[in-house]
Amino acid sequence: MAVDLLLGLQWGDEGKGKIVDVLTTDYDIIARFQGGPNAGHTLEFDGIKHVLHTIPSGIFHKSALNIVGNGVVIDPVIFKKELDALKKFNLDIKAKLFISRKAHLILPTHRLLDAASEASKGKAKIGSTLKGIGPTYMDKTGRNGMRIGDLEMSDWKEKYRSLANKHEAMISFYDVDIQYDLAELEKDFFDSITELKELTFIDSEEYLYQAQKSGKKILAEGAQGSLLDIDFGTYPFVTSSNTTAAGACTGLGVAPNQIGEVKGIFKAYTTRVGSGPFPTELFDEDGETMARVGNEFGATTGRPRRCGWLDLVALKYAVIINGVTELMMMKADVLSGFDTLKICTAYNYKGEKIEHLPFNIEAENVTPIYSEMKGWKEDLTKMSSADQLPATLMAYIEFLEKELEVPIKIVSVGPDRTQTIHR
Ligand code: IMP
């Protein structure tokens, strides 16, 4: 059985949590492969909204097993809070949630280092979620990190101490004022580790290999979006992991020839949270309408998201880099009411028309070139089948399919599980 992937194609917040939740009935295992608690995957059903950060979005389905893969970075304190929030649902967490021994741990001092690094950058700051993601991946690639499997060794506290001491020296190197009480932070950290150690740790690459061999259906769940990929995103305004399809191979230990469908998710418009270039960003009433109707606030930080028209140049790039085989268009309902919709189909790059993403997409280099389409007025949120969708929305969908050369299989018309139209 091949492993299917589900990835965000823009700057994150496309709605991966909702779609994984919707698709989980088709899968036996949901496996997160990168990122950490910088993610906020929102799921809504039975009138309740749930936000997951590290735990895979299949957790609410009785039959699905959820795996946190080796490519993920875990903050035990946030993880414990997520587990606490799940307690009222009586899920058998020990049986439903396994963690890779090779996943790295976010220490309290990683979070402090993140804050110090951002503060030292001043106006050039990345706009990080300040969850310690960058410093943790730096320790991973620098071969200094602590892994979940280390917690099973008797000397893990010494390892922790030596790394935390090093971090404290590094924090003092930054010439910024970061106030903290490490003893307090460590108390929470050690308490949370005690709870984390109650869970099942596995060698996830071996587990997934055997699961695949025995015919289990596996869905790899991405976090953030392709344009935040450490290699292919809008560097340096990116996250610190590979958010693109290749990240599923390294973040789970799945061989490239074992990848099946690549499901790419995008919003019918574009959003971005944090700093960095965004060619189709709107600073007018249209952008405000998207933000208001789409409730565009970060699920992890609560920060307002920047909004703009759909950027097809960037979307095509993501489709190619990931080898997307199926598309899912989210938040079509948010665009209801616009007379005219704009789609960026090319860039004016230093006076020349181009249709690919150049090295540098800062506003001084790139101006979007738009095609216009007629909008739709209908309220989509109660629609349940493709034949109910207005003709102008169908024209929008068909235009995108033609440009991207990939079918749009799902159109989402609201945040709830049920507001999902399959085509
Ligand atoms: P970090 O990964 O928290 O350091 O953040 C780096 C950049 O990625 C910042 O611009 C964040 O706003 C952005 N980012 C990180 N995680 C997410 C996410 O899950 N959704 C959207 N943006 C994210």
Side-chain angles (χ1 to χ4, degrees):
M1 264 305 196
V3 175
D4 292 342
L5 310 186
L6 185 127
L7 310 154
L9 300 180
Q10 294 161 316
W11 278 287
D13 309 314
E14 295 89 355
K16 293 175 287 292
K18 167 179 168 165
I19 292 298
V20 173
D21 175 58
V22 166
L23 296 179
T24 298
T25 43
D26 297 339
Y27 291 93
D28 302 302
I29 298 177
I30 308 296
R32 264 283 297 273
F33 62 85
Q34 48 68 230
N38 48 348
H41 291 179
T42 307
L43 291 71
E44 222 170 297
F45 53 88
D46 301 338
I48 309 173
K49 186 168 155 177
H50 311 268
V51 182
L52 297 168
H53 299 287
T54 324
I55 295 175
S57 304
I59 198 73
F60 293 104
H61 287 262
K62 287 264 173 305
S63 59
L65 175 67
N66 293 264
I67 293 180
V68 179
N70 58 280
V72 176
V73 290
I74 300 173
D75 183 331
V77 179
I78 297 179
F79 206 82
K80 181 178 178 308
K81 284 190 186 138
E82 283 190 70
L83 291 173
D84 288 347
L86 291 177
K87 277 191 178 136
K88 58 178 176 290
F89 297 99
N90 285 326
L91 306 166
D92 184 358
I93 292 289
K94 195 160 167 64
K96 281 179 60 69
L97 178 64
F98 293 175
I99 304 178
S100 166
R101 290 196 170 87
K102 294 194 174 80
H104 278 245
L105 281 167
I106 302 176
L107 311 189
T109 42
H110 280 132
R111 285 202 305 271
L112 298 171
L113 273 172
D114 215 358
S117 164
E118 278 286 79
S120 74
K121 285 190 163 128
K123 275 195 179 144
K125 71 173 185 181
I126 306 296
S128 167
T129 60
L130 301 179
K131 303 292 176 198
I133 305 296
T136 306
Y137 279 113
M138 279 164 71
D139 270 339
K140 174 179 178 174
T141 52
R143 297 160 294 180
N144 299 312
M146 275 192 74
R147 299 186 288 176
I148 288 289
D150 289 330
L151 300 175
E152 295 173 318
M153 311 292 164
S154 55
D155 65 346
W156 75 268
K157 281 203 173 158
E158 283 123 71
K159 242 187 188 163
Y160 166 80
R161 189 76 280 141
S162 125
L163 192 53
N165 286 347
K166 195 173 100 178
H167 290 161
E168 280 213 281
M170 288 164 73
I171 292 162
S172 65
F173 164 82
Y174 288 103
D175 192 17
V176 291
D177 183 25
I178 300 286
Q179 302 288 330
Y180 63 91
D181 177 349
L182 190 56
E184 189 65 27
L185 295 172
E186 282 181 345
K187 190 184 167 304
D188 263 3
F189 181 72
F190 291 131
D191 284 353
S192 309
I193 287 205
T194 307
E195 189 154 333
L196 192 68
K197 284 172 81 174
E198 301 284 307
L199 298 182
T200 313
F201 298 164
I202 57 166
D203 299 317
S204 56
E205 61 283 20
E206 169 64 12
Y207 188 94
L208 287 170
Y209 171 68
Q210 294 298 347
Q212 227 189 312
K213 246 174 89 172
S214 65
K216 295 267 192 275
K217 290 196 74 186
I218 302 167
L219 180 68
E221 176 183 11
Q224 290 82 48
S226 301
L227 299 172
L228 289 171
D229 183 279
I230 183 72
D231 284 283
F232 297 107
T234 46
Y235 193 90
F237 300 100
V238 292
T239 191
S240 299
S241 60
N242 282 114
T243 58
T244 45
C249 296
T250 56
L252 292 173
V254 174
N257 64 353
Q258 298 302 306
I259 302 297
E261 299 296 335
V262 180
K263 299 167 190 283
I265 305 201
F266 68 100
K267 274 181 195 164
Y269 49 100
T270 311
T271 63
R272 173 163 204 168
V273 62
S275 330
F278 180 0
T280 60
E281 183 169 10
L282 290 168
F283 300 95
D284 60 8
E285 231 174 76
D286 287 341
E288 279 162 28
T289 305
M290 289 172 193
R292 180 175 33 82
V293 182
N295 193 24
E296 295 294 356
F297 295 92
T300 297
T301 58
R303 291 179 290 177
R305 297 181 186 137
R306 301 152 66 191
C307 295
W309 296 116
L310 188 64
D311 184 341
L312 210 49
V313 180
L315 195 53
K316 259 185 201 167
Y317 172 80
V319 164
I320 293 167
I321 284 279
N322 290 302
V324 172
T325 60
E326 290 177 10
L327 286 163
M328 280 136 208
M329 186 170 89
M330 310 302 287
K331 291 198 155 182
D333 53 300
V334 175
L335 292 187
S336 290
F338 284 93
D339 290 328
T340 306
L341 301 173
K342 290 187 181 179
I343 303 174
C344 167
T345 48
Y347 293 151
N348 183 330
Y349 179 68
K350 300 181 180 173
E352 190 193 338
K353 182 179 171 187
I354 60 167
E355 290 179 11
H356 68 276
L357 209 69
F359 179 74
N360 190 328
I361 60 164
E362 261 73 31
E364 60 269 28
N365 297 312
V366 159
T367 321
I369 300 173
Y370 289 110
S371 290
E372 292 195 353
M373 295 195 76
K374 204 166 169 321
W376 54 90
K377 301 281 179 201
E378 293 84 343
D379 173 9
L380 310 179
T381 57
K382 307 252 166 4
M383 296 185 181
S384 55
S385 70
D387 54 17
Q388 294 172 306
L389 297 176
T392 40
L393 170 55
M394 286 312 296
Y396 191 78
I397 290 171
E398 281 158 18
F399 177 76
L400 299 182
E401 288 185 319
K402 190 162 152 282
E403 290 288 319
L404 298 167
E405 300 180 75
V406 181
I408 297 177
K409 294 278 198 176
I410 284 181
V411 180
S412 176
V413 292
D416 195 87
R417 240 184 216 172
T418 55
Q419 293 170 304
T420 310
I421 295 179
H422 296 263
R423 296 177 69 231

Tab-separated table of all heavy atoms in Angstrom, residues 358-402:
chain	number	residue	atom	x	y	z
A	358	PRO	N	10.495	33.733	-9.074
A	358	PRO	CA	11.928	34.043	-9.145
A	358	PRO	C	12.587	33.932	-7.762
A	358	PRO	O	11.899	33.765	-6.754
A	358	PRO	CB	11.943	35.483	-9.636
A	358	PRO	CG	10.675	36.059	-9.116
A	358	PRO	CD	9.674	34.946	-9.039
A	359	PHE	N	13.921	34.060	-7.720
A	359	PHE	CA	14.686	33.967	-6.465
A	359	PHE	C	14.149	34.949	-5.430
A	359	PHE	O	14.017	34.628	-4.251
A	359	PHE	CB	16.162	34.242	-6.766
A	359	PHE	CG	17.059	34.205	-5.558
A	359	PHE	CD1	17.394	32.986	-4.975
A	359	PHE	CD2	17.579	35.369	-5.003
A	359	PHE	CE1	18.223	32.938	-3.860
A	359	PHE	CE2	18.403	35.330	-3.887
A	359	PHE	CZ	18.728	34.108	-3.322
A	360	ASN	N	13.815	36.137	-5.892
A	360	ASN	CA	13.475	37.211	-4.983
A	360	ASN	C	12.106	37.784	-5.330
A	360	ASN	O	11.949	38.385	-6.386
A	360	ASN	CB	14.566	38.281	-5.158
A	360	ASN	CG	14.473	39.327	-4.102
A	360	ASN	OD1	13.376	39.634	-3.632
A	360	ASN	ND2	15.601	39.880	-3.729
A	361	ILE	N	11.110	37.571	-4.436
A	361	ILE	CA	9.765	38.081	-4.776
A	361	ILE	C	9.374	39.281	-3.901
A	361	ILE	O	8.201	39.555	-3.684
A	361	ILE	CB	8.677	36.992	-4.741
A	361	ILE	CG1	8.550	36.346	-3.348
A	361	ILE	CG2	8.881	35.947	-5.808
A	361	ILE	CD1	7.252	35.554	-3.171
A	362	GLU	N	10.361	40.010	-3.407
A	362	GLU	CA	10.065	41.221	-2.636
A	362	GLU	C	9.288	42.217	-3.516
A	362	GLU	O	9.465	42.234	-4.751
A	362	GLU	CB	11.358	41.892	-2.179
A	362	GLU	CG	11.727	41.571	-0.737
A	362	GLU	CD	12.226	40.143	-0.592
A	362	GLU	OE1	12.821	39.648	-1.557
A	362	GLU	OE2	11.988	39.541	0.480
A	363	ALA	N	8.474	43.051	-2.875
A	363	ALA	CA	7.598	43.981	-3.603
A	363	ALA	C	8.370	44.878	-4.572
A	363	ALA	O	7.851	45.258	-5.625
A	363	ALA	CB	6.819	44.815	-2.610
A	364	GLU	N	9.622	45.213	-4.253
A	364	GLU	CA	10.340	46.112	-5.158
A	364	GLU	C	10.712	45.420	-6.475
A	364	GLU	O	11.006	46.075	-7.464
A	364	GLU	CB	11.583	46.740	-4.499
A	364	GLU	CG	12.649	45.783	-4.008
A	364	GLU	CD	12.446	45.352	-2.552
A	364	GLU	OE1	11.290	45.340	-2.093
A	364	GLU	OE2	13.443	45.007	-1.900
A	365	ASN	N	10.663	44.086	-6.505
A	365	ASN	CA	11.018	43.353	-7.728
A	365	ASN	C	9.812	42.849	-8.500
A	365	ASN	O	9.870	42.649	-9.702
A	365	ASN	CB	11.863	42.120	-7.378
A	365	ASN	CG	13.166	42.509	-6.733
A	365	ASN	OD1	13.860	43.384	-7.218
A	365	ASN	ND2	13.479	41.880	-5.615
A	366	VAL	N	8.728	42.599	-7.775
A	366	VAL	CA	7.603	41.869	-8.370
A	366	VAL	C	6.296	42.644	-8.245
A	366	VAL	O	5.955	43.112	-7.164
A	366	VAL	CB	7.466	40.498	-7.645
A	366	VAL	CG1	6.086	39.927	-7.817
A	366	VAL	CG2	8.497	39.504	-8.167
A	367	THR	N	5.570	42.773	-9.374
A	367	THR	CA	4.203	43.296	-9.328
A	367	THR	C	3.308	42.232	-9.947
A	367	THR	O	3.627	41.733	-11.034
A	367	THR	CB	4.060	44.578	-10.191
A	367	THR	OG1	5.229	45.352	-10.034
A	367	THR	CG2	2.842	45.377	-9.838
A	368	PRO	N	2.213	41.867	-9.270
A	368	PRO	CA	1.355	40.821	-9.851
A	368	PRO	C	0.611	41.294	-11.097
A	368	PRO	O	0.203	42.461	-11.175
A	368	PRO	CB	0.379	40.497	-8.721
A	368	PRO	CG	0.530	41.548	-7.702
A	368	PRO	CD	1.773	42.320	-7.955
A	369	ILE	N	0.442	40.395	-12.050
A	369	ILE	CA	-0.395	40.657	-13.228
A	369	ILE	C	-1.644	39.793	-13.041
A	369	ILE	O	-1.536	38.579	-12.825
A	369	ILE	CB	0.342	40.279	-14.531
A	369	ILE	CG1	1.628	41.112	-14.663
A	369	ILE	CG2	-0.569	40.444	-15.749
A	369	ILE	CD1	2.525	40.713	-15.831
A	370	TYR	N	-2.806	40.447	-13.081
A	370	TYR	CA	-4.040	39.735	-12.733
A	370	TYR	C	-4.923	39.413	-13.940
A	370	TYR	O	-4.994	40.191	-14.891
A	370	TYR	CB	-4.881	40.586	-11.773
A	370	TYR	CG	-4.298	40.696	-10.372
A	370	TYR	CD1	-3.760	41.901	-9.916
A	370	TYR	CD2	-4.311	39.597	-9.517
A	370	TYR	CE1	-3.236	42.007	-8.620
A	370	TYR	CE2	-3.789	39.707	-8.227
A	370	TYR	CZ	-3.258	40.911	-7.790
A	370	TYR	OH	-2.746	41.008	-6.519
A	371	SER	N	-5.622	38.257	-13.859
A	371	SER	CA	-6.783	37.982	-14.715
A	371	SER	C	-7.995	38.236	-13.836
A	371	SER	O	-7.923	38.009	-12.624
A	371	SER	CB	-6.818	36.515	-15.132
A	371	SER	OG	-5.797	36.255	-16.025
A	372	GLU	N	-9.090	38.660	-14.449
A	372	GLU	CA	-10.297	38.910	-13.643
A	372	GLU	C	-11.391	37.922	-13.994
A	372	GLU	O	-11.518	37.516	-15.146
A	372	GLU	CB	-10.795	40.337	-13.880
A	372	GLU	CG	-9.823	41.359	-13.322
A	372	GLU	CD	-10.416	42.744	-13.198
A	372	GLU	OE1	-11.547	42.963	-13.662
A	372	GLU	OE2	-9.729	43.603	-12.606
A	373	MET	N	-12.159	37.532	-12.980
A	373	MET	CA	-13.293	36.636	-13.217
A	373	MET	C	-14.491	37.169	-12.452
A	373	MET	O	-14.334	37.849	-11.440
A	373	MET	CB	-12.962	35.218	-12.724
A	373	MET	CG	-11.835	34.588	-13.498
A	373	MET	SD	-11.725	32.818	-13.237
A	373	MET	CE	-13.080	32.198	-14.215
A	374	LYS	N	-15.671	36.805	-12.947
A	374	LYS	CA	-16.897	37.235	-12.282
A	374	LYS	C	-17.041	36.460	-10.962
A	374	LYS	O	-16.754	35.256	-10.924
A	374	LYS	CB	-18.078	36.911	-13.207
A	374	LYS	CG	-19.294	37.746	-12.978
A	374	LYS	CD	-20.226	37.559	-14.190
A	374	LYS	CE	-21.598	38.120	-14.005
A	374	LYS	NZ	-22.294	38.041	-12.794
A	375	GLY	N	-17.457	37.160	-9.921
A	375	GLY	CA	-17.636	36.499	-8.629
A	375	GLY	C	-19.003	35.843	-8.503
A	375	GLY	O	-19.786	35.839	-9.454
A	376	TRP	N	-19.311	35.306	-7.342
A	376	TRP	CA	-20.615	34.717	-7.079
A	376	TRP	C	-21.185	35.337	-5.807
A	376	TRP	O	-20.432	35.810	-4.947
A	376	TRP	CB	-20.532	33.194	-6.957
A	376	TRP	CG	-19.517	32.728	-5.943
A	376	TRP	CD1	-19.724	32.498	-4.620
A	376	TRP	CD2	-18.131	32.468	-6.186
A	376	TRP	NE1	-18.547	32.109	-4.032
A	376	TRP	CE2	-17.548	32.075	-4.967
A	376	TRP	CE3	-17.312	32.523	-7.321
A	376	TRP	CZ2	-16.199	31.753	-4.835
A	376	TRP	CZ3	-15.964	32.203	-7.205
A	376	TRP	CH2	-15.427	31.814	-5.967
A	377	LYS	N	-22.516	35.353	-5.719
A	377	LYS	CA	-23.164	36.018	-4.575
A	377	LYS	C	-23.779	35.006	-3.610
A	377	LYS	O	-24.114	35.341	-2.484
A	377	LYS	CB	-24.291	36.944	-5.077
A	377	LYS	CG	-23.829	38.024	-6.037
A	377	LYS	CD	-23.192	39.182	-5.296
A	377	LYS	CE	-22.711	40.228	-6.285
A	377	LYS	NZ	-21.689	41.103	-5.754
A	378	GLU	N	-23.983	33.806	-4.102
A	378	GLU	CA	-24.719	32.806	-3.308
A	378	GLU	C	-23.993	32.449	-2.012
A	378	GLU	O	-22.771	32.424	-1.971
A	378	GLU	CB	-24.910	31.518	-4.120
A	378	GLU	CG	-25.829	31.651	-5.321
A	378	GLU	CD	-25.148	32.172	-6.573
A	378	GLU	OE1	-24.039	32.746	-6.474
A	378	GLU	OE2	-25.728	32.024	-7.647
A	379	ASP	N	-24.773	32.148	-0.973
A	379	ASP	CA	-24.209	31.616	0.262
A	379	ASP	C	-23.931	30.130	0.018
A	379	ASP	O	-24.850	29.353	-0.257
A	379	ASP	CB	-25.246	31.808	1.386
A	379	ASP	CG	-24.825	31.127	2.682
A	379	ASP	OD1	-23.653	30.665	2.762
A	379	ASP	OD2	-25.658	31.049	3.602
A	380	LEU	N	-22.672	29.737	0.107
A	380	LEU	CA	-22.314	28.348	-0.220
A	380	LEU	C	-22.400	27.426	0.991
A	380	LEU	O	-22.336	26.205	0.853
A	380	LEU	CB	-20.868	28.288	-0.751
A	380	LEU	CG	-20.448	29.240	-1.863
A	380	LEU	CD1	-18.972	29.018	-2.201
A	380	LEU	CD2	-21.301	29.041	-3.105
A	381	THR	N	-22.515	28.018	2.174
A	381	THR	CA	-22.254	27.253	3.395
A	381	THR	C	-23.255	26.115	3.646
A	381	THR	O	-22.978	25.213	4.419
A	381	THR	CB	-22.219	28.177	4.637
A	381	THR	OG1	-23.472	28.867	4.711
A	381	THR	CG2	-21.093	29.192	4.559
A	382	LYS	N	-24.424	26.186	2.971
A	382	LYS	CA	-25.413	25.115	3.185
A	382	LYS	C	-25.390	24.119	2.025
A	382	LYS	O	-26.174	23.175	2.000
A	382	LYS	CB	-26.822	25.707	3.327
A	382	LYS	CG	-26.929	26.800	4.382
A	382	LYS	CD	-27.674	26.344	5.597
A	382	LYS	CE	-27.565	27.223	6.814
A	382	LYS	NZ	-26.844	28.473	6.758
A	383	MET	N	-24.537	24.362	1.058
A	383	MET	CA	-24.520	23.481	-0.122
A	383	MET	C	-23.795	22.187	0.222
A	383	MET	O	-22.828	22.187	0.979
A	383	MET	CB	-23.855	24.185	-1.299
A	383	MET	CG	-24.648	25.398	-1.744
A	383	MET	SD	-23.972	26.170	-3.206
A	383	MET	CE	-25.124	27.541	-3.398
A	384	SER	N	-24.269	21.100	-0.381
A	384	SER	CA	-23.680	19.814	-0.003
A	384	SER	C	-23.251	18.971	-1.199
A	384	SER	O	-22.677	17.909	-1.033
A	384	SER	CB	-24.665	19.032	0.862
A	384	SER	OG	-25.886	18.928	0.161
A	385	SER	N	-23.548	19.448	-2.423
A	385	SER	CA	-23.080	18.666	-3.574
A	385	SER	C	-22.628	19.601	-4.688
A	385	SER	O	-23.069	20.766	-4.769
A	385	SER	CB	-24.180	17.728	-4.071
A	385	SER	OG	-25.200	18.481	-4.670
A	386	ALA	N	-21.760	19.071	-5.556
A	386	ALA	CA	-21.121	19.903	-6.580
A	386	ALA	C	-22.150	20.513	-7.521
A	386	ALA	O	-21.946	21.638	-8.013
A	386	ALA	CB	-20.110	19.067	-7.351
A	387	ASP	N	-23.281	19.821	-7.752
A	387	ASP	CA	-24.245	20.380	-8.718
A	387	ASP	C	-24.987	21.603	-8.170
A	387	ASP	O	-25.683	22.292	-8.902
A	387	ASP	CB	-25.207	19.296	-9.238
A	387	ASP	CG	-25.903	18.569	-8.103
A	387	ASP	OD1	-25.883	19.106	-6.973
A	387	ASP	OD2	-26.452	17.468	-8.331
A	388	GLN	N	-24.819	21.887	-6.865
A	388	GLN	CA	-25.454	23.100	-6.302
A	388	GLN	C	-24.556	24.334	-6.452
A	388	GLN	O	-24.999	25.450	-6.227
A	388	GLN	CB	-25.726	22.886	-4.805
A	388	GLN	CG	-26.759	21.804	-4.515
A	388	GLN	CD	-26.835	21.511	-3.022
A	388	GLN	OE1	-25.837	21.223	-2.384
A	388	GLN	NE2	-28.025	21.599	-2.470
A	389	LEU	N	-23.293	24.126	-6.776
A	389	LEU	CA	-22.351	25.258	-6.803
A	389	LEU	C	-22.681	26.212	-7.956
A	389	LEU	O	-23.009	25.761	-9.054
A	389	LEU	CB	-20.908	24.749	-6.946
A	389	LEU	CG	-20.376	23.876	-5.803
A	389	LEU	CD1	-18.971	23.369	-6.111
A	389	LEU	CD2	-20.389	24.631	-4.472
A	390	PRO	N	-22.615	27.538	-7.717
A	390	PRO	CA	-22.952	28.491	-8.780
A	390	PRO	C	-22.012	28.363	-9.990
A	390	PRO	O	-20.848	27.979	-9.844
A	390	PRO	CB	-22.768	29.856	-8.103
A	390	PRO	CG	-22.242	29.619	-6.754
A	390	PRO	CD	-22.268	28.171	-6.448
A	391	ALA	N	-22.552	28.740	-11.157
A	391	ALA	CA	-21.788	28.597	-12.410
A	391	ALA	C	-20.490	29.413	-12.373
A	391	ALA	O	-19.460	28.987	-12.902
A	391	ALA	CB	-22.658	29.028	-13.579
A	392	THR	N	-20.542	30.592	-11.733
A	392	THR	CA	-19.334	31.427	-11.714
A	392	THR	C	-18.236	30.786	-10.850
A	392	THR	O	-17.047	30.891	-11.167
A	392	THR	CB	-19.659	32.840	-11.173
A	392	THR	OG1	-20.572	32.705	-10.099
A	392	THR	CG2	-20.244	33.717	-12.257
A	393	LEU	N	-18.633	30.093	-9.778
A	393	LEU	CA	-17.643	29.372	-8.967
A	393	LEU	C	-17.082	28.193	-9.767
A	393	LEU	O	-15.878	27.923	-9.753
A	393	LEU	CB	-18.282	28.889	-7.650
A	393	LEU	CG	-17.460	27.913	-6.805
A	393	LEU	CD1	-16.066	28.461	-6.475
A	393	LEU	CD2	-18.178	27.571	-5.498
A	394	MET	N	-17.963	27.517	-10.512
A	394	MET	CA	-17.491	26.394	-11.344
A	394	MET	C	-16.485	26.901	-12.386
A	394	MET	O	-15.487	26.232	-12.678
A	394	MET	CB	-18.672	25.703	-12.041
A	394	MET	CG	-19.509	24.840	-11.113
A	394	MET	SD	-18.538	23.728	-10.083
A	394	MET	CE	-17.810	22.666	-11.307
A	395	ALA	N	-16.749	28.106	-12.922
A	395	ALA	CA	-15.818	28.673	-13.924
A	395	ALA	C	-14.465	28.956	-13.259
A	395	ALA	O	-13.398	28.717	-13.853
A	395	ALA	CB	-16.416	29.948	-14.517
A	396	TYR	N	-14.497	29.454	-12.012
A	396	TYR	CA	-13.263	29.726	-11.237
A	396	TYR	C	-12.486	28.415	-11.049
A	396	TYR	O	-11.288	28.336	-11.297
A	396	TYR	CB	-13.689	30.326	-9.889
A	396	TYR	CG	-12.592	30.927	-9.013
A	396	TYR	CD1	-12.071	32.193	-9.277
A	396	TYR	CD2	-12.115	30.250	-7.893
A	396	TYR	CE1	-11.106	32.759	-8.448
A	396	TYR	CE2	-11.142	30.808	-7.055
A	396	TYR	CZ	-10.650	32.071	-7.341
A	396	TYR	OH	-9.697	32.623	-6.516
A	397	ILE	N	-13.211	27.377	-10.628
A	397	ILE	CA	-12.588	26.070	-10.381
A	397	ILE	C	-11.981	25.513	-11.679
A	397	ILE	O	-10.837	25.053	-11.702
A	397	ILE	CB	-13.644	25.083	-9.811
A	397	ILE	CG1	-14.026	25.494	-8.390
A	397	ILE	CG2	-13.156	23.644	-9.850
A	397	ILE	CD1	-15.201	24.749	-7.789
A	398	GLU	N	-12.759	25.602	-12.752
A	398	GLU	CA	-12.270	25.019	-14.019
A	398	GLU	C	-11.074	25.791	-14.566
A	398	GLU	O	-10.152	25.205	-15.140
A	398	GLU	CB	-13.419	24.951	-15.038
A	398	GLU	CG	-14.330	23.744	-14.732
A	398	GLU	CD	-15.735	23.868	-15.294
A	398	GLU	OE1	-15.943	24.703	-16.206
A	398	GLU	OE2	-16.629	23.136	-14.803
A	399	PHE	N	-11.074	27.107	-14.352
A	399	PHE	CA	-9.918	27.916	-14.777
A	399	PHE	C	-8.656	27.443	-14.029
A	399	PHE	O	-7.599	27.225	-14.617
A	399	PHE	CB	-10.203	29.393	-14.489
A	399	PHE	CG	-9.052	30.301	-14.830
A	399	PHE	CD1	-8.776	30.636	-16.147
A	399	PHE	CD2	-8.230	30.813	-13.819
A	399	PHE	CE1	-7.693	31.463	-16.463
A	399	PHE	CE2	-7.147	31.632	-14.128
A	399	PHE	CZ	-6.880	31.962	-15.447
A	400	LEU	N	-8.799	27.233	-12.742
A	400	LEU	CA	-7.639	26.803	-11.934
A	400	LEU	C	-7.176	25.404	-12.346
A	400	LEU	O	-5.975	25.148	-12.473
A	400	LEU	CB	-7.987	26.815	-10.434
A	400	LEU	CG	-8.379	28.162	-9.838
A	400	LEU	CD1	-8.642	28.020	-8.347
A	400	LEU	CD2	-7.291	29.201	-10.067
A	401	GLU	N	-8.135	24.535	-12.571
A	401	GLU	CA	-7.762	23.161	-12.977
A	401	GLU	C	-6.995	23.172	-14.289
A	401	GLU	O	-6.033	22.418	-14.463
A	401	GLU	CB	-9.019	22.299	-13.125
A	401	GLU	CG	-9.648	21.959	-11.788
A	401	GLU	CD	-10.828	20.997	-11.895
A	401	GLU	OE1	-11.637	21.165	-12.834
A	401	GLU	OE2	-10.953	20.129	-11.042
A	402	LYS	N	-7.428	24.034	-15.208
A	402	LYS	CA	-6.765	24.100	-16.519
A	402	LYS	C	-5.337	24.632	-16.344
A	402	LYS	O	-4.385	24.100	-16.894
A	402	LYS	CB	-7.584	25.027	-17.428
A	402	LYS	CG	-7.142	25.004	-18.863
A	402	LYS	CD	-8.236	25.575	-19.767
A	402	LYS	CE	-7.633	26.185	-21.007
A	402	LYS	NZ	-7.046	27.507	-20.815
